[in-house]
Amino acid sequence: MISYILAHIVLPTSIILSLMLSDQLSDNKEKDLPMPTTSVTEYVDLEQYAVNKVIPDEIRDVTLLALSHFPELMEVEIDFDFKKKIRGSVMQAQPKVGSLLFNSKSNRKYRINISRYLELDDEWLPIEEVPENVLLGWIGHELGHIMDYLDKSRLGLISFGVRYVTSNAFVTQAEITADSYAVAGGLGNNLVDTKNFILNHDRLPEEYRNKIRDLYMSPGEIMTLVDVEEDDDDDEVENAEK
């Protein structure tokens, strides 16, 4: 019973690096050299975010990129596990049962279950073939759940699991919280891409799309969060300049 309940439970690139790439583009233009194809984000050492993480090779790069938006999870142990199928979901974040019961809060371990294939009407699409911007938002949302779990007590997480499987209103509240963490980490536009991908993909199971439509924030609501976050950032900059 406890296992069932628990189952439901970039960094932005620096201005200096941006200027470096800008200078490189300018120099190449003047010298009539081929323009570089390397993205600025590739200068960031994403492997630093692999500490205490187990990640399938197929999604390693996009997962590390997602993790780079959550520096608070740098030392947290998280396993990203492929599953043949997850009932009613594509991804699922949860504390490891043994870790929850016997570890202290600071040493708790987590896993994110990920469907190995995305179920479509007439085929099973390998999850790594989902567009990268969509997959980034999807993983970012699950990391938002783990951010929400970090400060919860053992009893708090068990209560969370019970309420998650018994109350649709609580599900909505929990999903808003996860999205809010992802937006705060700079993944708001990716979340919108993910929601639009799901809601507009007519080959995804209708039952799953209805679940997302009914219980999760809409793309428009996420953009409202993004706007609020950007306004808050602008206010902080203005206050710092005074």
Side-chain angles (χ1 to χ4, degrees), residues 182-193:
V183 169
L187 291 174
N189 290 326
N190 295 99
L191 288 178
V192 171
D193 290 341

Side-chain angles (χ1 to χ4, degrees), residues 156-169:
L157 276 174
I158 292 174
S159 173
F160 180 100
V162 171
R163 296 173 70 188
Y164 197 95
V165 299
T166 58
S167 169
N168 284 344

Side-chain angles (χ1 to χ4, degrees), residues 184-230:
L187 291 174
N189 290 326
N190 295 99
L191 288 178
V192 171
D193 290 341
T194 303
K195 298 296 172 67
N196 281 329
F197 176 84
I198 295 170
L199 297 175
N200 298 328
H201 202 310
D202 58 9
R203 293 170 62 202
L204 281 169
E206 188 64 24
E207 181 180 1
Y208 177 66
R209 289 198 291 159
N210 285 337
K211 172 187 172 183
I212 300 301
R213 187 178 293 113
D214 295 341
L215 300 179
Y216 291 65
M217 283 199 295
S218 68
E221 289 168 331
I222 294 173
M223 285 310 303
T224 298
L225 277 184
V226 173
D227 292 340
V228 170
E229 184 70 23
E230 291 177 349

Side-chain angles (χ1 to χ4, degrees), residues 138-181:
W138 227 322
I139 296 171
H141 172 83
E142 297 306 321
L143 291 173
H145 277 302
I146 291 181
M147 289 290 295
D148 185 31
Y149 299 159
L150 289 181
D151 291 328
K152 285 181 166 47
S153 67
R154 181 180 296 113
L155 290 178
L157 276 174
I158 292 174
S159 173
F160 180 100
V162 171
R163 296 173 70 188
Y164 197 95
V165 299
T166 58
S167 169
N168 284 344
F170 185 78
V171 171
T172 297
Q173 178 184 330
E175 300 304 337
I176 290 174
T177 299
D179 278 342
S180 297
Y181 276 113

